[in-house]
């Protein structure tokens, strides 16, 4: 069951839509279409957007699922692992805490939406968008290539992602460096959309007698979403804190908002260390997480368990082994058993 929340609580409004997105990302495929626009917890304006373009609902859900899966994949070895079964919302406090985790969530959700909508446009499933026709006819005869095929047209998906996610209520009570929590979220979701643009590439195919490549057809395409996830993870690691002090510093130089590159992720608050369970802050802690005894990375037992130590369990592992091909046509294998150590945080 899903709670339908009206926009009575003002500062919740800005979050509602992302919550819907996140919720769609963890619920079964097709659920969004089944519920329809009127049963999703949208603000009146958002519901109108949904009603006008109900055909985008499957893409919205695809994008959300893509984003949640990518977040969990990028953070699978970290103390904060992007788990979605937290209270009070799916992402717990990380959606509202103004930390770099909040920044990543907004960026990846916005990017997921652009990616899924654009993919659907390129597949020819929509009447409002399609392939990028601006390139058609261009190219270089001298270099023996021309634009052809279907170039991904990200403009429509980008426009829709902005409309859908950046629907925020102005709240100036948490102003830092000229940013508020809602403009911080907007900045980060825009950085997510920019990531799609930044990671696009050109692919070509050769034509000509026996692959002579006398003529090449080229098209622009989005990177696979895993690449965008990795790109955003790197942005997360280099994210910039926006503080009162950084605001005062810029004030002296110019009266405007602290200048931050549009590709950078920004955050207000330092993250907790995510070591110990803290229900009030919605932190699950790392107790019971599986760690790697020999790794020096974040998944290493020392780092992941925050120095608390780890338990070792012996797990029995059964595999098919010594497989032989028997003419014709069987593969005959033995069952091999091995005992492996597994380590979990204390
Ligand atoms: C603005 O945001 C803060 C913290 O996010 C919240 O406590 C406050 O109630 C909000 N104000 C309004 C008017 O929505
Ligand atoms: C993340 O960590 C929690 C415990 O801290 C665990 O319950 C969960 O299965 C982990 N993985 C994901 C993807 O949520
Ligand atoms: C496009 O439509 C086809 C047929 O309805 C469907 O199988 C496919 O999944 C759709 N693709 C996208 C990206 O929505
Ligand atoms: C543990 O970490 C080491 C070193 O990084 C790596 O080679 C190994 O594959 C990891 N083991 C598991 C089970 O992930």
């Amino acid at each position: 069951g899903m709670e339908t929340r009206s926009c009575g609580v003002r500062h919740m409004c800005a979050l509602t839509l992302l919550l819907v997105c996140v919720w769609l990302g963890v619920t079964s495929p097709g659920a969004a279409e089944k519920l329809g626009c009127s049963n999703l917890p949208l603000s009146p304006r958002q519901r109108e957007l949904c009603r006008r373009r109900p055909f985008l609902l499957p893409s919205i859900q695809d994008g959300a699922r893509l984003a949640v899966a990518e977040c969990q994949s990028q953070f699978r070895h970290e103390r904060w692992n992007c788990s979605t079964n937290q209270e009070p919302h799916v992402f717990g406090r990380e959606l509202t805490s103004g930390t770099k985790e909040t920044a990543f969530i907004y960026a990846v959700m916005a990017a997921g939406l652009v990616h899924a909508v654009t993919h659907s446009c390129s597949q020819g499933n929509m009447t409002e968008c399609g392939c990028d026709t601006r390139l058609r006819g261009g190219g270089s005869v001298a270099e023996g290539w021309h634009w052809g095929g279907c170039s991904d047209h990200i403009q429509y998906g980008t426009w829709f992602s902005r409309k859908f996610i950046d629907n925020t209520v102005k709240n100036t009570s948490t102003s830092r460096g000229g940013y508020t929590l809602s403009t911080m979220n907007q900045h980060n979701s825009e950085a997510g959309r920019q990531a799609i643009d930044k990671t696009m590439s050109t692919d070509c195919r050769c034509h000509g007698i026996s692959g002579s490549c006398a003529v090449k057809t080229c098209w622009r395409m989005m990177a696979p979403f895993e690449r965008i996830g990795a790109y955003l993870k790197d942005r997360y690691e280099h994210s910039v804190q926006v503080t009162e002090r950084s605001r005062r510093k810029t004030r002296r130089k110019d009266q405007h908002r602290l200048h931050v590159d549009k590709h950078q992720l920004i955050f207000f608050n330092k993250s907790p260390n995510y070591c110990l369970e803290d229900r009030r802050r919605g932190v699950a802690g790392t107790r019971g997480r599986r760690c790697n005894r020999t790794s020096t990375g974040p998944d290493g037992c020392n780092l992941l368990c925050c120095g608390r130590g780890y338990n070792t369990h012996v797990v029995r592992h059964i595999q098919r082994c010594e497989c032989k091909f028997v003419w014709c046509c069987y593969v005959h294998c033995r069952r091999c058993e091995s005992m492996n150590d597994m380590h979990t945080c204390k």
Side-chain angles (χ1 to χ4, degrees), residues 87-102:
E87 291 296 319
H89 338 290
V90 267
F91 276 130
R93 289 241 327 152
E94 279 5 290
L95 212 51
T96 52
S97 58
T99 56
K100 51 189 192 168
E101 286 73 29
T102 315

Side-chain angles (χ1 to χ4, degrees), residues 77 290 292-297 299:
H77 294 317
R290 194 173 173 168
N292 183 334
R293 208 169 54 92
T294 54
S295 168
T296 50
D299 62 332

Side-chain angles (χ1 to χ4, degrees), residues 10-11 171 173-174 181:
R10 270 215 283 157
H11 74 278
N171 182 342
S173 68
T174 51
L181 188 57

Side-chain angles (χ1 to χ4, degrees), residues 45 61 84-85 89 101 113 115 117-118 128 159 183 189 191 199 235 244 302:
R45 220 201 84 190
Q61 182 158 22
T84 49
N85 45 14
H89 338 290
E101 286 73 29
L113 193 50
H115 207 271
V117 170
T118 304
E128 287 196 354
W159 166 83
T183 55
S189 46
T199 54
R235 290 284 170 193
E244 276 304 334
N302 198 27

Side-chain angles (χ1 to χ4, degrees), residues 23-291:
W23 176 79
L24 287 170
V26 295
T27 198
S28 56
E33 279 167 287
K34 232 173 273 161
L35 274 174
C37 301
S38 37
N39 291 314
L40 291 172
L42 307 175
S43 76
R45 220 201 84 190
Q46 293 145 1
R47 185 159 296 139
E48 189 55 32
L49 186 66
C50 179
R51 282 221 180 96
R52 287 212 186 132
R53 297 185 173 77
F55 51 86
L56 282 175
L57 264 177
S59 299
I60 295 169
Q61 182 158 22
D62 286 350
R65 294 173 64 83
L66 202 60
V68 170
E70 192 51 36
C71 183
Q72 292 182 345
S73 163
Q74 289 298 330
F75 286 87
R76 69 194 180 281
H77 294 317
E78 314 269 327
R79 289 178 187 165
W80 179 73
N81 67 356
C82 198
S83 74
T84 49
N85 45 14
Q86 307 285 306
E87 291 296 319
H89 338 290
V90 267
F91 276 130
R93 289 241 327 152
E94 279 5 290
L95 212 51
T96 52
S97 58
T99 56
K100 51 189 192 168
E101 286 73 29
T102 315
F104 185 86
I105 293 170
Y106 270 84
V108 80
M109 295 307 291
L113 193 50
V114 178
H115 207 271
V117 170
T118 304
H119 184 59
S120 193
C121 296
S122 296
Q123 299 245 305
N125 283 7
M126 315 264 221
T127 51
E128 287 196 354
C129 62
C131 306
D132 195 343
T133 53
R134 293 169 310 168
L135 300 169
R136 208 167 276 168
S140 164
V141 179
E143 290 166 35
W145 67 272
H146 61 90
W147 292 113
C150 178
S151 287
D152 284 327
H153 189 52
I154 64 169
Q155 276 70 16
Y156 181 82
T158 304
W159 166 83
F160 186 75
S161 172
R162 274 187 198 126
K163 274 264 197 211
F164 200 79
I165 293 176
D166 296 354
N167 182 296
T168 51
V169 173
K170 293 270 172 291
N171 182 342
T172 48
S173 68
T174 51
S175 181
R176 308 262 185 102
Y179 286 94
T180 65
L181 188 57
S182 68
T183 55
M184 169 195 141
N185 292 337
Q186 260 181 49
H187 172 97
N188 291 324
S189 46
E190 188 57 30
R193 289 184 279 267
Q194 293 297 327
I196 303 274
D197 190 38
K198 268 254 178 176
T199 54
M200 280 187 85
S201 62
T202 303
D203 202 9
C204 297
R205 186 175 289 161
C206 284
H207 310 275
I209 305 150
S210 55
S212 65
C213 212
V215 183
K216 271 200 292 190
T217 303
C218 302
W219 59 92
R220 298 278 297 155
M221 61 178 205
M222 294 185 294
F225 204 67
E226 304 85 75
R227 259 216 63 212
I228 291 148
Y231 174 93
L232 288 175
K233 176 76 186 307
D234 187 59
R235 290 284 170 193
Y236 158 89
E237 272 151 16
H238 297 98
S239 51
V240 179
Q241 186 173 21
V242 175
T243 59
E244 276 304 334
R245 205 140 57 98
S246 58
R247 180 193 187 178
R248 275 199 294 273
K249 252 195 273 171
T250 48
R251 270 243 165 128
R252 263 183 271 124
K253 287 196 219 113
D254 60 353
Q255 293 292 303
H256 296 104
R257 176 185 287 178
L258 170 68
H259 182 75
V260 180
D261 186 287
K262 67 177 174 181
H263 301 102
Q264 267 172 332
L265 294 186
I266 57 169
F267 65 97
F268 284 169
N269 302 318
K270 282 237 153 59
S271 305
N273 60 21
Y274 296 109
C275 282
L276 295 172
E277 182 178 2
D278 180 351
R279 281 176 183 279
R280 208 173 49 82
R281 296 205 58 176
V283 174
T286 63
R287 177 198 295 255
R289 284 279 300 279
R290 194 173 173 168
C291 63

